[in-house]
Amino acid sequence: MEVLKQWEELHHKKVGNTYKHNIKQFISTANFDIQNASYSDIISYISLLRKSGLSSRNLKNHLCAIKFYYNCLLELGYIKHHPCKTLLLQDKTDKRISTETLFTPEELNELLTREDKAIPQLKLRNQIIRQLLVYQGLTVKELMQLTITDIDLENCTLAIKNSRELELHPKQLLPLQRYLTTDRKKIKNSTKTALLLLSKSGNKILEVTINDAINYKAAKRFTPQKIRQSVIANLLKNGHDLRKVQLFAGHRYISSTEQYITSQFTELRSELEKKHPLS
């Protein structure tokens, strides 16, 4: 990270924390010589990130950080060639919902009860992240923005700013109480922010942190988006009212909720056509 310090001193500017985090991850996990990397090396690294379940937006953020790092190396004279200056990602967000690939209630329960191999001081935080994903179906953005005042243990509710109020599951109450009164206070700089979920260094958690929290050293991988979609789809499959599910999910338009039903119907029809003797 010395290169970034030199660049900051040269330009009298600060490199953003997200860039620093992504660059640090790149330096520590890339299995090739950073300063002699080729275009193919960068492609391979991005492919590994893609397999880890990062969103298309997050992948592009990582690539931007990598490109910036190589611009720094080039400007400071460490390298003579930028390996990925012209690299553009074509990843597009697929908004279609394939309900047949979503997680069943049993699989979601497996996520809740799986062994957490993280360091001890993060285990309770990770448990809370998994519970918020499964019991409330929160988005990554909502998780990142939660504050300690959004939790009302007395009334068993969780407030999502500018959106909705959700009930807490009974199994969430004790972990949240212990986290707020004990574990969170042990995290560095926790008194300087009202954010509920923090990194081990006391900073705002990132999407990659959430992915690590639910998948650390686990064979079967879950992604926050697919967990959320599974929660919504399972509610509808179990006969819950469409309007109530819309409110639960925080969908602005009911058509966003209806697409889960449409997807289920389309896939059922496709399956019946495959098995029909005249197809």
Side-chain angles (χ1 to χ4, degrees):
M1 302 295 284
E2 184 63 32
V3 171
L4 296 183
K5 290 181 181 179
Q6 290 179 30
W7 185 91
E8 288 177 333
E9 290 173 0
L10 179 64
H11 292 277
H12 304 289
K13 294 180 181 179
K14 289 289 183 181
V15 178
N17 287 332
T18 301
Y19 264 35
K20 284 183 177 179
H21 178 276
N22 291 343
I23 291 169
K24 184 177 180 180
Q25 182 180 345
F26 172 62
I27 294 171
S28 62
T29 60
N31 60 354
F32 49 82
D33 183 349
I34 299 290
Q35 294 191 18
N36 292 304
S38 65
Y39 186 88
S40 297
D41 288 330
I42 307 301
I43 290 288
S44 297
Y45 178 77
I46 295 295
S47 296
L48 288 175
L49 292 179
R50 187 180 288 115
K51 289 177 182 177
S52 73
L54 292 186
S55 66
S56 57
R57 182 185 65 180
N58 213 279
L59 285 173
K60 289 174 182 177
N61 288 341
H62 274 268
L63 178 58
C64 286
I66 293 168
K67 283 185 172 183
F68 173 77
Y69 184 62
Y70 277 109
N71 282 335
C72 293
L73 288 172
L74 198 62
E75 183 179 359
L76 295 170
Y78 287 100
I79 60 173
K80 295 182 179 180
H81 170 69
H82 193 307
C84 56
K85 187 175 182 178
T86 60
L87 176 58
L88 295 174
L89 299 183
Q90 300 300 318
D91 298 73
K92 294 181 179 179
T93 304
D94 188 355
K95 296 183 179 180
R96 295 174 302 172
I97 299 167
S98 178
T99 55
E100 64 182 2
T101 65
L102 297 182
F103 301 119
T104 63
E106 292 74 23
E107 288 175 305
L108 292 176
N109 187 61
E110 175 193 328
L111 171 63
L112 289 172
T113 57
R114 71 167 24 167
E115 181 186 1
D116 193 330
K117 299 178 181 178
I119 56 177
Q121 58 264 43
L122 295 181
K123 285 188 176 183
L124 188 57
R125 183 208 66 180
N126 292 354
Q127 179 186 354
I128 288 168
I129 289 174
R130 293 195 298 270
Q131 289 180 334
L132 289 168
L133 288 169
V134 173
Y135 291 137
Q136 282 79 35
L138 300 189
T139 66
V140 166
K141 184 178 180 181
E142 289 168 344
L143 278 172
M144 292 167 63
Q145 293 179 342
L146 281 178
T147 65
I148 54 179
T149 56
D150 294 330
I151 306 293
D152 186 344
L153 293 176
E154 185 176 344
N155 294 304
C156 302
T157 59
L158 167 68
I160 308 300
K161 286 183 175 60
N162 304 317
S163 179
R164 61 206 186 279
E165 185 176 89
L166 300 171
E167 290 185 9
L168 289 169
H169 190 282
K171 290 184 178 180
Q172 291 178 277
L173 300 181
L174 284 177
L176 278 168
Q177 183 183 43
R178 202 174 97 212
Y179 177 72
L180 288 170
T181 57
T182 305
D183 289 47
R184 187 183 177 279
K185 291 181 178 180
K186 294 178 181 178
I187 298 176
K188 183 181 178 182
N189 299 323
S190 62
T191 57
K192 297 180 180 180
T193 177
L195 289 173
L196 175 68
L197 302 168
L198 303 172
S199 69
K200 64 181 179 181
S201 57
N203 296 316
K204 180 179 180 179
I205 59 170
L206 304 173
E207 182 176 348
V208 66
T209 312
I210 295 171
N211 272 289
D212 286 343
I214 60 179
N215 293 306
Y216 187 68
K217 291 187 177 180
K220 182 174 182 177
R221 298 191 68 80
F222 292 79
T223 63
Q225 182 183 35
K226 197 170 179 181
I227 294 169
R228 172 177 163 81
Q229 291 176 342
S230 301
V231 171
I232 296 169
N234 290 335
L235 286 173
L236 292 169
K237 279 183 181 179
N238 290 333
H240 285 76
D241 180 73
L242 181 66
R243 174 62 178 164
K244 289 182 178 179
V245 176
Q246 179 197 1
L247 293 174
F248 169 85
H251 289 154
R252 184 175 180 182
Y253 303 107
I254 201 164
S255 57
S256 298
T257 317
E258 287 175 330
Q259 67 178 319
Y260 287 83
I261 299 175
T262 304
S263 296
Q264 289 172 15
F265 176 75
T266 302
E267 287 165 12
L268 177 60
R269 184 175 61 185
S270 176
E271 196 62 28
L272 288 172
E273 287 175 350
K274 290 177 184 177
K275 296 179 179 179
H276 194 283
L278 298 180
S279 63

